[in-house]
Amino acid sequence: MKHLLGVENLTREQAERLLDRAESFAEVGRRDIKKVPTLRGRTIVSLFYESSTRTSSSFELAAKRLSADVVSIKAAGSAVDKGESLKDTIATLTAYDPAAIIIRAPQAGAAHLVAGWTDASVINAGDGKHEHPSQALLDVFTLRRRLGSLEGTRIWIVGDVLHSRVARSCLMAFGLMGAHVTLCGPPTLIPRGIAEATGANVTYDLDGLAEADVVYALRMQHERMSESFVPSLREYAARYQIDSRRLGPRQLLMHPGPVNRGVELAPEVIDSSQSLITEQVESGLVVRMAILYELLTGSDRARPKGGPMSADAPPRIGQPA
Ligand code: CP
């Protein structure tokens, strides 16, 4: 596997290998010295054309914990402000011979384009409404740790499915791992034909929510809404907000963040013991370490030549940097 462009291209075997690798990095994270030399001497570029807290910080920290050199660029304040195109920006950054480019962009398909313009591995950190594969993998990892397996688990994804790349990637990833997915939201925020295209159940109200083992709430994506999709946020919250009356005591709660408190989630459930939101953030770090590791040194990737101190030496997860 050279790139991670979407869950769409992943096999279950590849996903499970990544998650197993993430488990080994979780062990590294419990040590006093949390750094390993695996990617020493490799350069990783992180290029974000959209705002991010979790994805950008965890990819940067993941790369640093693997001892890579990291160049982080936000569109604001970069030459993008001066009108430089994505292609020219990639050509510029490729001159540093990076091993990987992590990209978030508002255009669906941006990461695919970048993969055609560089020899580096490309990681899609979110492309418009299309995909956010590392988010889906960290969500599967979080659930696998809690439940052992997703096989047969009933997961409800609730909210703004239409604008959500997280929903698209999670729907595919949860299905890949054997879960049964139900999509729930206002008809205006559920893509037409998605049930037929994906095999997911679709419902427009929360009446059957009690059957869910996991409730995955989505953020209302105001920034992607050019028109009004719900009468008001107050009305949306009245019909779809997950609160302590709607979340049963055995159900787990997830959200990719950032949360609109009081819109898709009531404050009391965000901070409840059923909430996995903090665990999702923790998982993000080790899963992204695993992604970088697999793409840059993985067994099905041609490795660069090098001596015993190079990155193609046997995995040295067990040794601190
Ligand atoms: N879930 C997620 O992508 O969060 P950020 O926008 O903070 O990266």
Side-chain angles (χ1 to χ4, degrees):
M1 190 161 76
K2 178 170 180 182
H3 307 296
L4 180 65
L5 302 178
V7 175
E8 202 170 9
N9 320 105
L10 274 185
T11 63
R12 182 163 174 165
E13 186 194 4
Q14 287 172 322
E16 284 182 340
R17 193 170 63 230
L18 275 167
L19 302 178
D20 292 343
R21 181 71 64 197
E23 280 296 352
S24 66
F25 285 123
E27 188 277 316
V28 173
R30 289 190 287 274
R31 300 179 193 165
D32 288 342
I33 296 172
K34 303 181 192 308
K35 202 159 173 162
V36 289
T38 316
L39 297 183
R40 192 158 55 199
R42 316 290 289 274
T43 301
I44 292 175
V45 170
S46 167
L47 178 58
F48 277 70
Y49 283 81
E50 282 187 331
S51 56
S52 169
T53 297
R54 281 149 281 268
T55 313
S56 57
S57 62
S58 59
F59 264 124
E60 183 169 337
L61 186 56
K64 286 177 174 170
R65 289 208 172 166
L66 294 169
S67 302
D69 297 316
V70 185
V71 178
S72 294
I73 296 161
K74 312 270 183 212
S78 74
V80 173
D81 280 349
K82 301 175 188 167
E84 187 168 55
S85 70
L86 177 59
K87 191 171 185 179
D88 287 345
T89 301
I90 296 301
T92 300
L93 297 170
T94 296
Y96 303 135
D97 191 23
I101 296 176
I102 300 157
I103 174 146
R104 171 172 288 188
Q107 302 87 2
H112 283 80
L113 279 176
V114 171
W117 296 333
T118 178
D119 289 336
S121 287
V122 175
I123 298 170
N124 182 2
D127 61 329
K129 295 188 282 184
H130 180 227
E131 279 234 41
H132 192 351
S134 63
Q135 177 71 45
L137 287 165
L138 75 87
D139 290 329
V140 170
F141 180 80
T142 305
L143 281 177
R144 206 176 74 149
R145 288 193 125 189
R146 268 295 174 119
L147 304 173
S149 163
L150 273 68
E151 204 67 58
T153 304
R154 288 161 300 182
I155 303 176
W156 277 47
I157 298 177
V158 179
D160 180 5
V161 177
L162 182 67
H163 299 99
S164 176
R165 55 194 174 207
V166 173
R168 281 181 57 84
S169 291
C170 281
L171 173 56
M172 289 186 273
F174 294 158
L176 191 66
M177 307 309 278
H180 303 299
V181 180
T182 296
L183 302 172
C184 175
T188 49
L189 292 177
I190 303 283
R192 222 177 293 164
I194 196 164
E196 296 76 14
T198 66
N201 299 318
V202 169
T203 181
Y204 303 119
D205 58 54
L206 291 174
D207 291 353
L209 187 70
E211 72 152 34
D213 302 303
V214 178
V215 180
Y216 194 110
L218 297 170
R219 184 171 68 85
M220 282 292 273
Q221 307 226 359
H222 312 286
E223 74 276 19
R224 297 193 204 285
M225 294 185 191
S226 53
E227 55 190 285
S228 182
F229 286 84
V230 291
S232 69
L233 287 181
R234 183 191 290 262
E235 197 161 318
Y236 174 83
R239 294 203 59 190
Y240 296 100
Q241 183 186 89
I242 307 301
D243 59 16
S244 56
R245 290 175 303 125
R246 288 174 170 152
L247 190 71
R250 66 163 195 88
Q251 293 177 313
L252 296 172
L253 176 68
M254 302 181 81
H255 190 294
V259 175
N260 295 306
R261 275 183 183 253
V263 180
E264 64 264 8
L265 293 180
E268 74 268 13
V269 296
I270 299 171
D271 304 319
S272 73
S273 58
Q274 291 156 265
S275 168
L276 301 182
I277 295 171
T278 304
E279 283 174 48
Q280 288 172 267
V281 176
E282 289 168 7
S283 299
L285 175 57
V286 292
V287 167
R288 288 172 175 134
M289 287 174 81
I291 291 167
L292 292 171
Y293 181 93
E294 284 295 324
L295 294 189
L296 303 187
T297 75
S299 55
D300 56 355
R301 169 96 203 267
R303 295 177 183 198
K305 292 193 174 4
M309 293 305 289
S310 72
D312 59 329
R316 288 177 292 183
I317 289 173
Q319 301 165 13

